[in-house]
Structure formats: C-alpha cells, structure tokens
Amino acid sequence: MEHHQENGVNNNEEEYTSIATQTKMSDDDDENAHLEEVCDSFRQYATFARCDRAGRAHRLLTSLPQSQLEFLPQSMKPGTSEAMEREKEMQKAEIRNQFFIDSMLRHVGMPNSQDITQQEKHSMKKGKKKWSSDDNMSKVSSVLKSLVRDWSEEGAAERSQSYQPILDGVEKYLSLDGSMNHTPRLVVPG
C-alpha cells in the first residue's frame, strides 16, 4: 500500500470500505439489525410498489360512484387497452428502480433482491418471511424521490427551487472571486 503527501493532501491508496461493510464488521447487534432492516426494505421495493399501487387503484375504483367513474381517463379504467399499457409501463419502471436499488446494494457489498430471492424460497417454506413496514417503505420512496430531484432532468425545476436560494446566498455572502486568503467553508446540516 502506497501512502504519500502531495501539496498538503494525503493521497492514501487504501481500499474504500463502505459504511455498510463497516457496520457489518462491528460487534453492535442493534446496528447490524437496523442495517439489515433497511436493506430488506430496499430489496422489497418492487414488490411493495406494485402492491401499493394496486391497492390504491382498487380503493379509488371502489370508492367512486358509477357516475364519476366515467370521467376517469381510459388508462385508469380496468380492462381497457390503455390501462393494460399503463400497467406494463408501471411494472417496467418498478423493475428499473429495483435494478438501480440492487446496484446500490451490490456496490456496498450487501445482498440484493435477487440474492435474497433464493434464500426466501427456503424461509417461506418455514413461514419466516418478514415484510418491511409501511414506514420503512415510505423511506425507500423518499430516497428515490430525492435521487430524482437531485440528479435527473425531471427534477431540475424542483432542484432549482430548493437549492438556488442557498446558492444565491453563498454567492452573495462569501467572496468566491479568490480575494480571500483562505478557502471559504460551509457547514451543511444533516
């Protein structure tokens, strides 16, 4: 392993160890249980999203009087070709999101939804399958929404609305033109 200093900066070529790996290596049973619970929620995203979407659609369709159902778009009316096409698109999106989540889990060295599926087959036979709570699944959805806001074209307007006032304040109150003899530092909460 090589270690040297250049321009006052440590250039340490040690291998990066993810927080997930560090947590797994710790002896803290509570922390390990929490990590596994969080990862379980991420692994169950696609199944939860599909069930949640179907449940919301069912509640909507059964709660509306017949006179109002006719005003629904064709894509919301069960049995129409538009509704079947919409369902296919939603399932594709859920699978793409799950693939993205699985990639994140693999990156930090955690089993993904496909790895767990094999283990689940054995657990389900023994009745040991534990589903994530609605609260945990809500957090997974929040993570995905934050990723869309912060990194996608679709999130540009919300990103600008959220962050531009902060960026404007930084530019207004900090001299970023190089006239300061030190680099300004910001405290970022969270």
Side-chain angles (χ1 to χ4, degrees), residues 115-129:
D115 296 331
I116 296 299
T117 301
Q118 298 305 316
Q119 295 171 13
E120 283 178 354
K121 288 179 183 176
H122 302 294
S123 295
M124 288 176 75
K125 289 177 186 174
K126 299 175 185 175
K128 293 182 180 179
K129 176 66 180 155

Short mmCIF file of all heavy atoms in Angstrom, two decimals, residues 115-129:
data_model
loop_
_atom_site.label_atom_id
_atom_site.label_comp_id
_atom_site.label_asym_id
_atom_site.label_seq_id
_atom_site.Cartn_x
_atom_site.Cartn_y
_atom_site.Cartn_z
N ASP A 115 -30.40 -11.95 -4.88
CA ASP A 115 -29.67 -12.84 -3.97
C ASP A 115 -30.60 -13.37 -2.90
O ASP A 115 -30.57 -14.55 -2.56
CB ASP A 115 -28.51 -12.10 -3.29
CG ASP A 115 -27.46 -11.62 -4.26
OD1 ASP A 115 -27.29 -12.26 -5.32
OD2 ASP A 115 -26.82 -10.60 -3.97
N ILE A 116 -31.41 -12.49 -2.37
CA ILE A 116 -32.30 -12.85 -1.27
C ILE A 116 -33.43 -13.76 -1.74
O ILE A 116 -33.89 -14.62 -1.02
CB ILE A 116 -32.88 -11.57 -0.60
CG1 ILE A 116 -31.75 -10.77 0.03
CG2 ILE A 116 -33.95 -11.89 0.41
CD1 ILE A 116 -30.98 -11.50 1.12
N THR A 117 -33.86 -13.60 -2.99
CA THR A 117 -34.95 -14.42 -3.50
C THR A 117 -34.67 -15.90 -3.32
O THR A 117 -35.55 -16.67 -2.94
CB THR A 117 -35.21 -14.10 -4.99
OG1 THR A 117 -35.54 -12.72 -5.09
CG2 THR A 117 -36.34 -14.92 -5.55
N GLN A 118 -33.44 -16.31 -3.56
CA GLN A 118 -33.08 -17.72 -3.38
C GLN A 118 -33.20 -18.14 -1.92
O GLN A 118 -33.71 -19.21 -1.61
CB GLN A 118 -31.66 -17.97 -3.89
CG GLN A 118 -31.49 -17.69 -5.37
CD GLN A 118 -32.47 -18.46 -6.23
OE1 GLN A 118 -32.69 -19.65 -6.02
NE2 GLN A 118 -33.09 -17.79 -7.18
N GLN A 119 -32.75 -17.26 -1.00
CA GLN A 119 -32.85 -17.56 0.42
C GLN A 119 -34.30 -17.57 0.88
O GLN A 119 -34.69 -18.37 1.73
CB GLN A 119 -32.07 -16.54 1.23
CG GLN A 119 -30.58 -16.58 0.98
CD GLN A 119 -29.86 -15.40 1.64
OE1 GLN A 119 -30.43 -14.70 2.47
NE2 GLN A 119 -28.61 -15.19 1.27
N GLU A 120 -35.12 -16.67 0.31
CA GLU A 120 -36.53 -16.55 0.70
C GLU A 120 -37.30 -17.83 0.41
O GLU A 120 -38.20 -18.19 1.15
CB GLU A 120 -37.19 -15.40 -0.03
CG GLU A 120 -36.85 -14.05 0.54
CD GLU A 120 -37.49 -12.92 -0.25
OE1 GLU A 120 -38.11 -13.17 -1.30
OE2 GLU A 120 -37.36 -11.78 0.20
N LYS A 121 -36.98 -18.49 -0.70
CA LYS A 121 -37.69 -19.71 -1.05
C LYS A 121 -37.63 -20.71 0.10
O LYS A 121 -38.61 -21.36 0.42
CB LYS A 121 -37.11 -20.31 -2.33
CG LYS A 121 -37.45 -19.53 -3.56
CD LYS A 121 -36.84 -20.15 -4.79
CE LYS A 121 -37.14 -19.30 -6.01
NZ LYS A 121 -36.48 -19.82 -7.21
N HIS A 122 -36.49 -20.78 0.73
CA HIS A 122 -36.34 -21.71 1.86
C HIS A 122 -37.05 -21.16 3.09
O HIS A 122 -37.70 -21.91 3.81
CB HIS A 122 -34.86 -21.95 2.15
CG HIS A 122 -34.12 -22.51 0.98
ND1 HIS A 122 -34.37 -23.76 0.46
CD2 HIS A 122 -33.16 -21.96 0.20
CE1 HIS A 122 -33.60 -23.97 -0.58
NE2 HIS A 122 -32.85 -22.90 -0.76
N SER A 123 -36.93 -19.85 3.34
CA SER A 123 -37.55 -19.25 4.52
C SER A 123 -39.07 -19.29 4.46
O SER A 123 -39.74 -19.53 5.45
CB SER A 123 -37.12 -17.78 4.67
OG SER A 123 -35.75 -17.71 4.91
N MET A 124 -39.62 -19.05 3.26
CA MET A 124 -41.07 -19.01 3.12
C MET A 124 -41.69 -20.38 3.40
O MET A 124 -42.79 -20.47 3.92
CB MET A 124 -41.47 -18.50 1.74
CG MET A 124 -41.21 -17.01 1.60
SD MET A 124 -41.53 -16.38 -0.03
CE MET A 124 -43.31 -16.35 -0.02
N LYS A 125 -40.97 -21.43 3.06
CA LYS A 125 -41.45 -22.77 3.35
C LYS A 125 -41.58 -22.97 4.86
O LYS A 125 -42.41 -23.71 5.33
CB LYS A 125 -40.53 -23.83 2.76
CG LYS A 125 -40.60 -23.90 1.25
CD LYS A 125 -39.62 -24.91 0.71
CE LYS A 125 -39.61 -24.86 -0.81
NZ LYS A 125 -38.57 -25.73 -1.36
N LYS A 126 -40.73 -22.27 5.60
CA LYS A 126 -40.74 -22.38 7.06
C LYS A 126 -41.57 -21.26 7.70
O LYS A 126 -41.61 -21.14 8.91
CB LYS A 126 -39.31 -22.33 7.59
CG LYS A 126 -38.44 -23.46 7.07
CD LYS A 126 -37.01 -23.29 7.52
CE LYS A 126 -36.13 -24.36 6.90
NZ LYS A 126 -34.72 -24.16 7.21
N GLY A 127 -42.18 -20.40 6.88
CA GLY A 127 -43.01 -19.31 7.40
C GLY A 127 -42.24 -18.19 8.07
O GLY A 127 -42.74 -17.53 8.95
N LYS A 128 -41.00 -17.96 7.63
CA LYS A 128 -40.14 -16.98 8.29
C LYS A 128 -40.04 -15.65 7.55
O LYS A 128 -39.29 -14.79 7.95
CB LYS A 128 -38.73 -17.54 8.46
CG LYS A 128 -38.64 -18.70 9.40
CD LYS A 128 -37.21 -19.14 9.54
CE LYS A 128 -37.09 -20.32 10.49
NZ LYS A 128 -35.71 -20.76 10.61
N LYS A 129 -40.77 -15.46 6.46
CA LYS A 129 -40.64 -14.23 5.68
C LYS A 129 -41.13 -13.04 6.48
O LYS A 129 -42.23 -13.05 7.01
CB LYS A 129 -41.45 -14.35 4.38
CG LYS A 129 -41.45 -13.11 3.54
CD LYS A 129 -40.07 -12.81 3.03
CE LYS A 129 -40.11 -11.56 2.20
NZ LYS A 129 -38.86 -10.90 2.14
#
